[in-house]
Amino acid sequence: MNAPPKAIAGASTFVDDRIGAGNFLKRNLRKIFPDHWSFLLGEIALYSFIILLLTGTFLTFWFKPSMGEVTYTGNYAPLYGVKMSEAYASALHISFDVRGGLLIRQIHHWAALLFVAGMMVHMLRVFFTGAYRKPRELNWIIGILLLTLALLEGLTGYSLPDDLLSGAGLRITEGVILSVPIVGTYIAFFLFGGEYPGHDVISRFYTIHILLIPGILLALISAHMILMWVQKHTQMPGKDRTEKNVVGAPFYPAFMIKAGSFFLFTFGVIALLGTFAQINPIWLFGPYTPADISAGSQPDFYMGFLEGALRVMPAWEINFLGHTVALSVLIPALVPLGIIMTGLALYPFLEQWITGDRREHHIADRPRNNPHRTSIGIAGITFYGVLWLLGANDEISANFHISLYTTTWFGRIAVFVGPAIAYWVTYRICIGLQRKDAEVLAHGVESGVIKRLPNGQYIEVHVPPAEDIAEHIRGKKEIPILEGAEDAEGIPPKGARGPLGRLRAKMSRAYGTDHVPLPDGHHEEVHEAEHAGVGAGDRKELH
């Protein structure tokens, strides 16, 4: 019964007879993957990246990354005879003259959005379940680098068509670069080949977009997948699941079939979006000229929070030794992104330092069981979301007839108050959900059966929860607490000495204290008591 499938046995024998790697092939094709829907979220990003590579290769055959001026003579009549860059003209040619060109362009753009969105959702799943803990800290850092590079990749690709909308974004990019003290001017001159807009920015962005960043992304994704394969996948708590095993389906054939189907589903959704949901209609915007600007300009969603930060930031600047530092541009360009990315990169190590937990973790946490971590994550999402929303403050003002200054001041206050409120609300929800879990174990679940007791009282009979649900709840692990108490001689532990050590001990107690411990075996007592005729009031006393 333990013999591998015939397809694996035959292939491994073929390989083993020639390069001696049959055992390696056989072992890895039977690798077990956990069966949980949330683990497929990262695959959305992976499959979107594959679609990006395929569609991007198609587009390179016709796109001309040049800012040389030409007169448009293509099939789009409203722009016939208009002077434009070769880049914009070739993008119009792909859209109107190449068979299937517009479809591939739109699939490419939708896949780019889904690539970034998939990474964000996958990152949140890893964060909220604590899957970044030892031994996966390095893979977490690789994931942060992948997300950062994806933002840069999107920025460079967004600018390539050289239409009026992407030109507005490029102008903002140039202003942000110039705001960086000392090196900003040199970076801007390097990218643009001189004064803005220069003649080289499209060709240089093109090289960065199709060669440099994709090469790094491929290397990091490969490293990410190899580490995941070697370290084995995390799994959700449940029956027969421990830190020493993985419960699920083998890579071949179950996971391969599931992954193949999910790839086709992802491609199908993106293809449908590319067919029926128009995106980035560059012909409506016209060619970019530095003297023009389009009304209601909005970047792709992943850059919306930086746009919002620019819009709500007060007009601050510093003049020092004859040099002006434009804080109104520098702070929103660097601080929000720095807070989010730096915070994410450091969090596994900060949590390990606070709790003193250096154990290996292969069982994922339920978000409710680590309320502080979950609350911090939701506060970060709220911070991002407020800035993202305020990236469209002009559209909000125009459509809802609210003063632009009102929306701006709302954003300035909400960006600080919102995360604090979100933290408190999330923490209380997590505690409430933990209490519900404890109640399920202690009192069982409602059966829908109403019973009349001898004294005339009616109760609903509770039954023990299903075994898989009970084991899922019992998978809650205690968060370690760094002990800060002094020993018999009045000497505190090594990790709790000095001001920083005492702060660490206090943070550890706050972070790890379990306010809702799970009961142990009480639901059986309740079940028996109800069948023995114990009333609801007695049941409260019993527990």
Side-chain angles (χ1 to χ4, degrees):
M1 292 182 65
N2 294 326
K6 185 176 180 180
I8 293 180
S12 62
T13 301
F14 178 88
V15 172
D16 199 43
D17 291 343
R18 288 156 179 80
I19 60 176
N23 288 334
F24 173 83
L25 182 63
K26 188 185 303 183
R27 182 176 66 253
N28 283 282
L29 284 176
R30 299 299 290 171
K31 181 179 176 65
I32 302 299
F33 281 80
D35 188 14
H36 194 273
W37 66 269
S38 66
F39 298 133
L40 296 175
L41 295 174
E43 295 182 32
I44 297 175
L46 177 62
Y47 301 149
S48 299
F49 183 68
I50 294 172
I51 295 169
L52 279 172
L53 292 179
L54 296 174
T55 54
T57 302
F58 176 91
L59 295 174
T60 58
F61 293 145
W62 288 277
F63 183 73
K64 296 179 181 179
S66 170
M67 298 183 72
E69 189 175 76
V70 297
T71 300
Y72 181 68
T73 57
N75 290 329
Y76 185 64
L79 290 178
Y80 190 88
V82 175
K83 292 184 178 181
M84 59 186 64
S85 67
E86 286 189 272
Y88 185 61
S90 65
L92 291 175
H93 177 72
I94 292 171
S95 301
F96 294 107
D97 302 316
V98 176
R99 187 178 296 276
L102 179 58
L103 176 63
I104 298 299
R105 259 198 66 233
Q106 299 207 145
I107 288 177
H108 188 75
H109 202 133
W110 278 114
L113 298 182
L114 198 61
F115 176 52
V116 179
M119 278 198 291
M120 288 181 172
V121 175
H122 176 60
M123 178 196 67
L124 292 176
R125 196 278 301 176
V126 172
F127 180 84
F128 286 124
T129 60
Y132 53 76
R133 292 172 296 179
K134 184 180 178 181
R136 296 176 179 82
E137 301 97 330
L138 180 58
N139 227 5
W140 173 256
I141 297 297
I142 291 175
I144 301 302
L145 291 175
L146 283 171
L147 180 58
T148 305
L149 286 171
L151 297 179
L152 293 175
E153 177 76 343
L155 175 65
T156 55
Y158 181 80
S159 304
L160 291 181
D162 200 32
D163 60 286
L164 188 58
L165 182 61
S166 67
L170 194 60
R171 184 60 158 171
I172 295 174
T173 302
E174 187 246 1
V176 168
I177 294 173
L178 289 177
S179 71
V180 179
I182 302 175
V183 299
T185 304
Y186 297 97
I187 296 174
F189 269 63
F190 170 75
L191 283 177
F192 292 92
E195 292 286 351
Y196 180 86
H199 298 284
D200 301 323
V201 65
I202 297 297
S203 60
R204 291 179 179 176
F205 269 28
Y206 183 72
T207 302
I208 294 171
H209 183 73
I210 72 163
L211 182 63
L212 181 60
I213 297 180
I216 300 173
L217 286 173
L218 275 173
L220 290 176
I221 289 173
S222 300
H224 192 74
M225 300 297 292
I226 291 171
L227 282 173
M228 183 274 294
W229 195 279
V230 170
Q231 294 173 342
K232 77 181 181 181
H233 215 298
T234 57
Q235 58 184 341
M236 297 301 290
K239 184 181 179 182
D240 299 328
R241 297 173 186 177
T242 69
E243 299 284 359
K244 303 294 184 181
N245 68 359
V246 178
V247 178
F251 177 72
Y252 178 87
F255 187 79
M256 288 183 66
I257 294 173
K258 183 188 297 183
S261 302
F262 199 49
F263 171 78
L264 294 176
F265 177 78
T266 303
F267 176 76
V269 170
I270 294 175
L272 287 173
L273 287 170
T275 303
F276 297 108
Q278 185 182 77
I279 188 170
N280 199 24
I282 57 172
W283 53 91
L284 298 181
F285 307 140
Y288 177 66
T289 58
D292 296 331
I293 188 67
S294 56
S297 300
Q298 302 295 327
D300 282 336
F301 86 93
Y302 47 84
M303 287 295 178
F305 77 106
L306 293 178
E307 176 85 6
L310 283 168
R311 295 188 181 207
V312 303
M313 181 67 190
W316 293 351
E317 65 180 31
I318 296 176
N319 295 294
F320 181 70
L321 298 178
H323 297 277
T324 300
V325 180
L327 297 179
S328 57
V329 178
L330 185 64
I331 289 178
L334 300 182
V335 172
L337 190 63
I339 290 175
I340 293 173
M341 294 303 181
T342 305
L344 288 171
L346 294 179
Y347 196 86
F349 308 100
L350 290 173
E351 184 179 80
Q352 189 179 91
W353 178 75
I354 290 171
T355 62
D357 185 8
R358 299 187 180 275
R359 302 169 298 174
E360 287 195 3
H361 293 274
H362 302 292
I363 298 292
D365 285 338
R366 300 174 75 200
R368 68 186 66 181
N369 291 337
N370 195 317
H372 284 289
R373 177 205 294 149
T374 303
S375 300
I376 290 171
I378 296 298
I381 292 174
T382 304
F383 175 75
Y384 174 92
V386 169
L387 292 179
W388 178 84
L389 182 66
L390 269 295
N393 66 341
D394 55 342
E395 294 291 332
I396 294 173
S397 298
N399 287 282
F400 292 96
H401 306 290
I402 303 173
S403 167
L404 182 64
Y405 296 102
T406 300
T407 60
T408 301
W409 273 104
F410 169 80
R412 291 172 180 174
I413 297 171
V415 77
F416 295 103
V417 176
I421 295 175
Y423 182 97
W424 182 82
V425 171
T426 304
Y427 185 84
R428 298 313 309 170
I429 290 174
C430 288
I431 296 299
L433 291 174
Q434 286 190 48
R435 287 174 178 159
K436 181 63 178 178
D437 287 343
E439 181 183 347
V440 168
L441 289 184
H443 301 294
V445 296
E446 298 172 349
S447 66
V449 177
I450 306 299
K451 183 177 181 180
R452 183 181 180 182
L453 300 181
N455 62 3
Q457 182 181 7
Y458 289 91
I459 64 168
E460 183 174 10
V461 177
H462 283 61
V463 296
E467 187 177 9
D468 57 338
I469 295 176
E471 291 298 327
H472 192 57
I473 295 174
R474 290 196 191 99
K476 177 182 179 181
K477 296 292 182 67
E478 182 179 350
I479 304 172
I481 296 177
L482 185 71
E483 295 296 335
E486 299 176 350
D487 60 17
E489 299 179 358
I491 301 176
K494 184 177 180 180
R497 296 174 188 172
L500 184 60
R502 288 191 292 272
L503 174 63
R504 180 188 179 191
K506 290 180 180 179
M507 293 173 66
S508 183
R509 285 193 295 271
Y511 193 85
T513 300
D514 187 359
H515 296 286
V516 190
L518 294 179
D520 184 18
H522 285 191
H523 66 275
E524 289 86 1
E525 298 174 22
V526 175
H527 186 55
E528 294 171 2
E530 286 182 325
H531 279 279
V534 178
D538 298 320
R539 185 166 69 247
K540 290 181 181 178
E541 212 168 290
L542 179 65
H543 296 289

